[in-house]
Amino acid sequence: MNNIDYTLALRQMTDHLVAEAAALEPYDALVWAGYPACAFQVWPDAAAVGRGLEASPIRRALISHTVGGMHDATAGNQALAALLEALPGGYGVMTLVPETAHDEPVVERRIAVALRRGMRAARILPKSHRYTLKTPGVDRLLEALEARRVPLFIPIGQTDWNEIGTLALAHAGLAILVESAGHHEYLNMRAALPWLEKAANLLVPTNRQFLAGGLELLVERLGPERVLFASGQPIEDPWSTLALLVKSRLPEAARRLIAHGNLERLLEAVVVEDSEE
Amino acid sequence: MNTPFIIDAHAHLGPTQAFEAHHRELDAYMDILDRLGIELSFFSAMPTLENDFETGHRMTLEVLGKYPDRLRATGCSIPIGRKFRWPILKT
């Protein structure tokens, strides 16, 4: 067919893709530390996270911990806080559960402590932690996050679009990142898009967005300010979503917003210090 | 830069009942091939995967006729029962 040196050619293509990705200065909204149930790679500590990021064009990341996601919220937050101490400049995602007693401002205090220890976003996992978004106590948790402008991750597999959409309309000041709304939700666009269009505080991280045209569709319907680069590495391959962004037909300004601008804007808005604390 | 000859062995074209595919039309798909440097693509027409074999195979032949050097296709049918046939592909 031809005399192409395929090893060299593929290396050149890869180098070109890495350079294009690095130029976007990606800030990854979803990186997992700890031991996932199933993955080819694990980043158990700060050193591993640092090495992992160093090996990619991604230099900044918002860190989540598998203990919070798969086991216990409190233990996960402690493990993540300890990791962040060894990762200067790194920010984390706290895991929260609704309180069942209301005799003291427990949720508010837990959020304040977590923010001081380097958390800048939160995640709730209703299905894993055995409650629903209609459970009493959830509203108070969301109000506490909204008051401090803490972005909230909710994996779509933990609830459904009707619950998330209703919640978003009731807490319009809360940025809700509908996590893992990728391939599966692309197939569910008829259920997802009406809610995404109706509630402007619903944002879409890009992890598991690997279908051609998915990013362009979201930007066309929602605008570039509501899509954020997130990889899910090392559990997921960061290149599946990073390459989609680099090779998208989106304008440069939109790609830079998605790569880092939107997450920076969210994190800068978080109210870390509380005058009453 | 030398460019490898890339073949996409699994692609889909056309409408589907399940969702609104953003790049389902032929021109948008050819744009993806050009953007990613894919020389040759094997596709299935979505209607053939949803039991509309007549529509799907007519679409397959029409598309193949427009880009004979860039596209190859897979047919699809149910290979059991008295109604099993490949009427379109035999023409």
Side-chain angles (χ1 to χ4, degrees), chain A residues 64-78:
Chain A
S64 299
H65 204 289
T66 57
V67 170
M70 301 176 66
H71 176 47
D72 175 66
T74 302
N77 291 339
Q78 290 171 345

Side-chain angles (χ1 to χ4, degrees), chain A residues 4 186 190 221 247 249, chain B residues 3 17 20 22 31 35:
Chain A
I4 289 175
Y186 190 99
R190 292 194 181 106
R221 300 289 179 87
K247 292 297 181 185
R249 287 295 198 213
Chain B
T3 303
Q17 63 169 351
E20 179 189 348
H22 197 50
D31 179 63
R35 191 189 335 166

